[in-house]
Amino acid sequence: MNTQNVGTALITGASSGIGAAFSRQLASRGFDLILVARREKRLSAIAAELEKSNAIDAEILAADLSKPAGIERTERRIAELPNLTLLINNAGFGTTGKFADVNLDKQLDMIQVHVIASVRLCRASLPGMIARGKGSIINVCSLAAFIPMPGNVTYSATKACLYVFSNALQTELIGTGVKVQALVPGFIHTEFHDSSEFASFDRSQIPRPFWMTAEEAASKSLSALERNKPVCIPGFKNRLIVAMGRSGLANLLWKILTRYAST
Ligand SMILES: NC(=O)c1ccc[n+]([C@@H]2O[C@H](COP(=O)([O-])OP(=O)(O)OC[C@H]3O[C@@H](n4cnc5c(N)ncnc54)[C@H](OP(=O)(O)O)[C@@H]3O)[C@@H](O)[C@H]2O)c1
């Protein structure tokens, strides 16, 4: 039983990577947790570990956020919560291949998980947070939002959408006591690149200094949230990449990276 009463955090994509790292760090700060993802056994193991090592309650919610039923189940759980302090829309995945050739259903699933689910869970959470005058939302975007990448068209587009949505929402909520952060990670060591989609992706093609651990990304995001930062781009190199992307150098940068990878 949790005696610290810090509030409840709901984290999507909590079964691995950045979501699991957020869950561990929030548990150590005394948050009760609701862990959302498809792999129920993974969620149960993480919830058991976190309840054992921290005086908190960790609940699991197995839901496929690419399906309306999974999103609706999560929305219903949010509506029941008396004290949702933090929502983290983190669930996501990538694909590879040219848009004209890739499986369309998977691209539409990506729009559901990255955009529709995130927008709907924000909408479900906000009335309660605004009424309580307190609460935070972190939407996990990507550097891809700033570098429209060939071979990654829907991924870049969904992350750009989530980034702009987060920024505009943050401004709209000024004065309500509710904060929104767009987290913009670069390359993170997680299971993201382990899927069959990335079978030919070699992590060593990306120079080591560009990689970060999930724990570092989650920690920098939470500390930026405490400092009321509406955007968190963890790492100087990633901030440089975003600046180049914003200045229109994105395509040039992508060509350089591609050339570097092929040497
Ligand atoms: N790793 C990177 O280099 C990187 C860089 C920039 C941004 N990001 C973003 O960071 C976020 C987290 O990714 P990660 O790197 O931590 O990768 P990860 O280790 O593969 O974790 C992805 C999480 O999303 C969940 N998920 C995927 N599809 C889902 C669905 N249909 N319904 C519910 N949950 C689903 C997965 O859980 P289940 O499989 O159990 O459902 C898993 O918990 C993603 O949004 C990703 O786009 C990652």
Side-chain angles (χ1 to χ4, degrees):
M1 166 135 174
N2 190 344
T3 49
Q4 297 184 65
N5 203 18
V6 178
T8 300
L10 186 143
I11 302 129
T12 72
S15 59
S16 66
I18 300 171
F22 267 125
S23 305
R24 292 197 171 92
Q25 292 180 26
L26 291 167
S28 72
R29 293 172 187 215
F31 280 86
D32 286 329
L33 301 175
I34 301 181
L35 310 176
V36 184
R38 292 166 300 182
R39 288 172 291 176
E40 203 167 345
K41 275 191 186 161
R42 279 278 200 107
L43 291 178
S44 298
I46 293 172
E49 169 207 322
L50 296 182
E51 283 190 338
K52 200 172 163 195
S53 49
N54 305 275
I56 60 135
D57 296 320
E59 171 186 325
I60 67 158
L61 202 171
D64 183 344
L65 297 174
S66 71
K67 305 278 183 292
I71 301 176
E72 281 157 22
R73 197 166 338 123
T74 313
E75 285 172 326
R76 279 199 299 276
R77 188 65 192 103
I78 287 173
E80 292 165 359
L81 293 171
N83 192 17
L84 179 63
T85 322
L86 177 60
L87 165 69
I88 305 184
N89 284 307
N90 161 79
F93 64 96
T95 57
T96 53
K98 290 190 175 167
F99 181 70
D101 304 329
V102 290
N103 178 315
L104 178 61
D105 287 342
K106 221 161 180 185
Q107 305 302 300
L108 298 179
D109 282 354
M110 189 183 284
I111 295 171
Q112 283 281 342
V113 176
H114 293 177
V115 181
I116 307 290
S118 302
V119 167
R120 286 182 58 168
L121 299 187
C122 285
R123 183 65 182 81
S125 305
L126 282 172
M129 287 181 174
I130 293 169
R132 291 187 290 277
K134 184 178 144 199
S136 303
I137 295 172
I138 296 172
N139 288 326
V140 180
C141 308
S142 166
L143 283 189
F146 300 90
I147 310 170
M149 292 193 291
N152 237 331
V153 170
T154 310
Y155 188 78
S156 289
T158 54
K159 293 299 186 177
C161 176
L162 192 56
Y163 178 81
V164 174
F165 173 80
S166 306
N167 268 224
L169 186 59
Q170 159 66 26
T171 309
E172 200 173 89
L173 290 167
I174 287 172
T176 63
V178 180
K179 299 187 271 191
V180 180
Q181 180 194 97
L183 170 61
V184 185
F187 289 99
I188 312 285
H189 286 292
T190 65
E191 295 175 20
F192 185 91
H193 297 103
D194 290 345
S195 80
S196 55
E197 286 280 345
F198 291 92
S200 58
F201 175 78
D202 176 0
R203 284 181 170 87
S204 66
Q205 286 175 345
I206 306 298
R208 197 179 293 180
F210 283 92
W211 289 92
M212 188 178 277
T213 65
E215 287 69 24
E216 272 178 281
S219 158
K220 286 179 189 295
S221 167
L222 292 175
S223 114
L225 189 70
E226 276 165 14
R227 289 178 282 117
N228 297 325
K229 299 278 182 205
V231 175
C232 173
I233 307 169
F236 173 73
K237 291 174 207 75
N238 292 331
R239 287 195 285 281
L240 203 61
I241 290 171
V242 168
M244 288 176 78
R246 279 182 167 146
S247 69
L249 287 172
N251 286 341
L252 176 66
L253 175 72
W254 184 244
K255 279 181 192 151
I256 293 167
L257 283 176
T258 309
R259 187 163 299 171
Y260 180 92
S262 61
T263 54

